[in-house]
């Protein structure tokens, strides 16, 4: 009888010990910066993982290489089950710091040029072939437009890649491109003023620094009654005229699906890099009225 009582006392401790030995599933998400599109991806990832008993830690690099490196190293020290980079900069830092931990990148325009390849890495490319259609739509709505102004960060690879696509499309449509670069947010007001004085319309490329300051650009462009095309749907919600772009929330859910494959035992190297899905036309109706133009349904 005493032995039976002793065993009954030990059983709860046995199961408690087993639970403690189970490794909790924890993932780290490193964002390049806080802005609406990036935050929509984060929300999509979280919603795609809800009810999965996964702990998520999110940190922002604020567009700084040193901060991205620190985040990547901290995730490595925390023994994450997997890590996700939203944007090129944090994805590169995560890949450099983690040789064994699975790395999933999201919202990267050119994974090849960014050297995001390896046995433990895969993800989603958001490079879109929509620049020609966007400029064609702009030219149809504003026949007098000749000069397209582009403001961009000189240090962002994704932006430089997208600008090449814009220039190629503009040439086909006999449009002139005026490019002005910035190195930090403090330069944006002056560069925006200069660009609006020279250009008939503004095209904001896939650029995290610029999109983080998109509300300022939209305000100034609308004051001048000049159309501003965005590369993301979130900027259209804030007042950009239109974009043929992605639903970044759905891109986040697409990223979560890749992560779940990895957590279920699939090797990242066995999951091909995916292209972002579901592009469509986004139009801000209030800006349409302001500019007295009809873009589309």
């Amino acid at each position: 009888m005493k032995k039976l009582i002793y065993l009954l006392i030990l059983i709860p401790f046995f199961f408690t010990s087993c639970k403690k030995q189970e490794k909790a599933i924890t993932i780290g998400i490193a964002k390049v910066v806080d802005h609406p599109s990036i935050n929509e991806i984060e929300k999509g990832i979280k919603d795609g993982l809800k009810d999965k008993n996964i702990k998520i830690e999110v940190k922002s690099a604020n567009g700084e290489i040193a901060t991205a490196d620190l985040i990547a190293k901290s995730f490595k020290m925390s023994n994450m089950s997997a890590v996700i980079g939203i944007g090129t900069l944090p994805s590169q830092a995560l890949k450099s710091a983690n040789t064994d931990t699975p790395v999933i990148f999201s919202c990267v325009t050119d994974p090849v040029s960014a050297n995001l390849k390896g046995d433990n890495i895969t993800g989603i490319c958001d490079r879109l072939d929509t620049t020609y259609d966007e400029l064609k739509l702009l030219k149809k709505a504003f026949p007098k437009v000749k000069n397209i102004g582009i403001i961009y960060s000189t240090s962002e690879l994704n932006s430089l890649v997208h600008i090449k696509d814009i220039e190629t499309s503009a040439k086909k449509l006999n449009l002139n491109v005026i490019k002005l670069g910035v190195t930090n947010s403090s330069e944006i007001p002056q560069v925006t003023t200069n660009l609006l004085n020279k250009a008939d319309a503004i095209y904001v490329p896939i650029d995290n620094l610029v999109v983080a300051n998109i509300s300022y650009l939209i305000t100034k462009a609308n004051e001048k009654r000049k159309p501003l095309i965005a590369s993301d749907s979130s900027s259209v919600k804030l007042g950009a005229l239109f974009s043929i772009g992605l639903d970044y929330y759905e891109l986040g859910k697409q990223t979560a699906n890749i992560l779940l494959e990895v957590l279920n035992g699939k090797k990242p190297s066995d999951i091909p890099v995916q292209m972002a899905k579901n592009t469509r036309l986004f139009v801000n109706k209030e800006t349409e009225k302001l500019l007295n133009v009809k873009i589309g349904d």
Side-chain angles (χ1 to χ4, degrees), residues 69-176:
D69 289 339
L70 285 173
I71 293 170
K73 290 173 183 175
S74 72
F75 283 171
K76 182 175 177 61
M77 291 178 65
S78 299
N79 293 316
M80 298 289 184
S81 302
V83 291
I84 296 175
I86 305 178
T88 302
L89 178 63
S91 297
Q92 289 174 317
L94 290 173
K95 186 230 175 187
S96 178
N98 295 274
T99 55
D100 299 318
T101 305
V103 178
I104 295 136
F105 59 80
S106 184
C107 197
V108 172
T109 305
D110 192 345
V112 176
S113 296
N115 195 30
L116 293 175
K117 54 185 179 180
D119 293 335
N120 68 319
I121 188 167
T122 189
I124 300 175
C125 172
D126 70 342
R127 186 171 184 173
L128 302 177
D129 188 19
T130 59
T131 54
Y132 180 83
D133 292 333
E134 287 174 321
L135 290 176
K136 186 176 180 181
L137 190 57
L138 174 71
K139 194 170 181 179
K140 180 180 178 181
F142 300 90
K144 294 183 179 180
V145 165
K146 297 295 181 185
N147 297 308
I148 308 298
I150 298 175
I151 180 171
Y152 69 101
S153 169
T154 55
S155 61
E156 290 194 37
L157 176 62
N158 46 289
S159 184
L160 300 176
V161 170
H162 192 196
I163 288 172
K164 289 182 180 178
D165 293 340
I166 297 170
E167 289 177 319
T168 299
S169 297
K171 188 175 181 180
K172 293 177 182 177
L173 293 166
N174 295 316
L175 294 170
N176 181 48

Side-chain angles (χ1 to χ4, degrees), residues 116-290:
L116 293 175
K117 54 185 179 180
D119 293 335
N120 68 319
I121 188 167
T122 189
I124 300 175
C125 172
D126 70 342
R127 186 171 184 173
L128 302 177
D129 188 19
T130 59
T131 54
Y132 180 83
D133 292 333
E134 287 174 321
L135 290 176
K136 186 176 180 181
L137 190 57
L138 174 71
K139 194 170 181 179
K140 180 180 178 181
F142 300 90
K144 294 183 179 180
V145 165
K146 297 295 181 185
N147 297 308
I148 308 298
I150 298 175
I151 180 171
Y152 69 101
S153 169
T154 55
S155 61
E156 290 194 37
L157 176 62
N158 46 289
S159 184
L160 300 176
V161 170
H162 192 196
I163 288 172
K164 289 182 180 178
D165 293 340
I166 297 170
E167 289 177 319
T168 299
S169 297
K171 188 175 181 180
K172 293 177 182 177
L173 293 166
N174 295 316
L175 294 170
N176 181 48
V177 173
I178 301 170
K179 300 180 295 183
L180 292 180
V182 296
T183 59
N184 56 65
S185 296
S186 65
E187 297 175 358
I188 288 178
Q190 185 59 54
V191 171
T192 299
T193 298
N194 292 342
L195 202 57
L196 284 169
N197 287 335
K198 298 176 181 178
D200 305 311
I202 303 297
Y203 193 133
V204 178
I206 301 171
D207 190 297
N208 294 296
L209 175 63
V210 177
V211 175
N213 294 274
I214 193 67
S215 293
Y216 177 84
L217 272 77
I218 290 169
T219 298
K220 293 303 177 181
N222 287 345
E223 284 177 359
K224 291 280 189 177
R225 299 296 191 270
K226 293 187 176 181
L228 185 147
I229 308 171
S231 298
D232 64 293
S233 56
S234 299
S235 293
V236 176
K237 293 177 184 178
L238 293 173
L241 179 56
F242 74 87
S243 172
I244 301 177
L246 295 169
D247 184 325
Y248 281 90
Y249 174 78
E250 291 299 326
L251 177 57
K253 294 183 75 173
Q254 188 180 347
T255 306
N257 288 335
I258 294 177
L259 174 69
L260 290 174
E261 286 189 72
V262 171
L263 294 178
N264 285 329
K266 200 166 186 179
K267 294 180 180 178
S269 56
D270 291 335
I271 304 174
V273 172
Q274 299 179 15
M275 296 301 295
K277 302 173 182 177
N278 304 318
T279 61
R280 67 182 181 88
L281 174 64
F282 298 84
V283 181
N284 187 294
K285 296 300 181 181
E286 292 301 316
T287 306
E288 266 190 331
K289 292 178 183 178
L290 178 70

